[in-house]
Amino acid sequence: MARGDTGLMNEATSNGVIAVGIDGSEGSLRALQWAVDEGRLRRCAVEAVTAWPPRGVDIDLTEEQAADARRRADETQRHQLDTVVREGHDTPPLSSEVVRGDAVEVLVRTSERAQLLVIGSHGTMSMRHAALGSVSEACATRAACPVVVVPTRPAADAPHDAVARP
């Protein structure tokens, strides 16, 4: 696995890159699993992107707080990548990036160089969520490429009108 390498030069990148947002949630783990499976099918690379600090955290952090937030973002991303790689076989080329900034802004910028953006649904509607807005909704309307929002529950448990794959 190439960590932090967005310039993979091989057959897989000639077929494009699938970008996937990683934030430590179960939804983002499911999105990563989906993106890896899709990357295998499309024979393309997968780029995992983690924005930090988490949404709702004041962007004006002290140096110590920023270092801690960056460390947690790195650990979260590494854990989720390791989980998916351990479970999978024939994993497509993976790269990862941890970027300081708002998740929506980071993912929208990433979508400019991707053929597909994959995001996991958190499946919650709290007051905080309503105030901050939905990352998946914002990305779906602003991304430069198609967006897949992977539901938090398996497709077999989803209502019949839910769509998990494009």
Side-chain angles (χ1 to χ4, degrees):
M1 171 177 14
R3 294 191 51 78
D5 179 8
T6 58
L8 297 170
M9 293 299 193
N10 57 33
E11 175 188 348
T13 54
S14 67
N15 292 334
V17 173
I18 296 174
V20 58
I22 304 296
D23 68 1
S25 66
E26 177 166 340
S28 75
L29 180 59
R30 289 182 53 77
L32 178 59
Q33 291 167 330
W34 193 95
V36 166
D37 289 344
E38 192 68 15
R40 187 179 312 109
L41 291 172
R42 293 183 186 212
R43 301 182 62 84
C44 64
V46 174
E47 179 180 6
V49 180
T50 301
W52 69 276
R55 290 194 103 204
V57 173
D58 187 6
I59 199 79
D60 294 326
L61 302 173
T62 67
E63 192 173 315
E64 184 178 322
Q65 290 169 325
D68 187 51
R70 170 63 193 241
R71 181 189 52 74
R72 283 194 313 269
D74 282 331
E75 288 174 0
T76 295
Q77 186 181 75
R78 185 175 49 253
H79 174 71
Q80 287 196 312
L81 286 169
D82 289 348
T83 297
V84 169
V85 168
R86 248 191 337 265
E87 293 174 358
H89 304 287
D90 192 29
T91 303
L94 291 171
S95 64
S96 61
E97 186 174 25
V98 177
V99 181
R100 186 173 187 167
D102 176 71
V104 172
E105 298 303 320
V106 168
L107 293 171
V108 168
R109 275 195 316 271
T110 301
S111 76
E112 294 171 0
R113 64 178 186 266
Q115 71 171 356
L116 186 65
L117 176 62
V118 182
I119 305 167
S121 169
H122 284 209
T124 60
M125 188 55 173
S126 65
M127 290 298 276
R128 181 173 178 238
H129 172 86
L132 293 174
S134 167
V135 171
S136 57
E137 183 179 348
C139 287
T141 60
R142 296 177 48 202
C145 66
V147 176
V148 172
V149 179
V150 178
T152 55
R153 57 188 170 173
D157 295 342
H160 294 291
D161 61 342
V163 177
R165 292 184 77 88

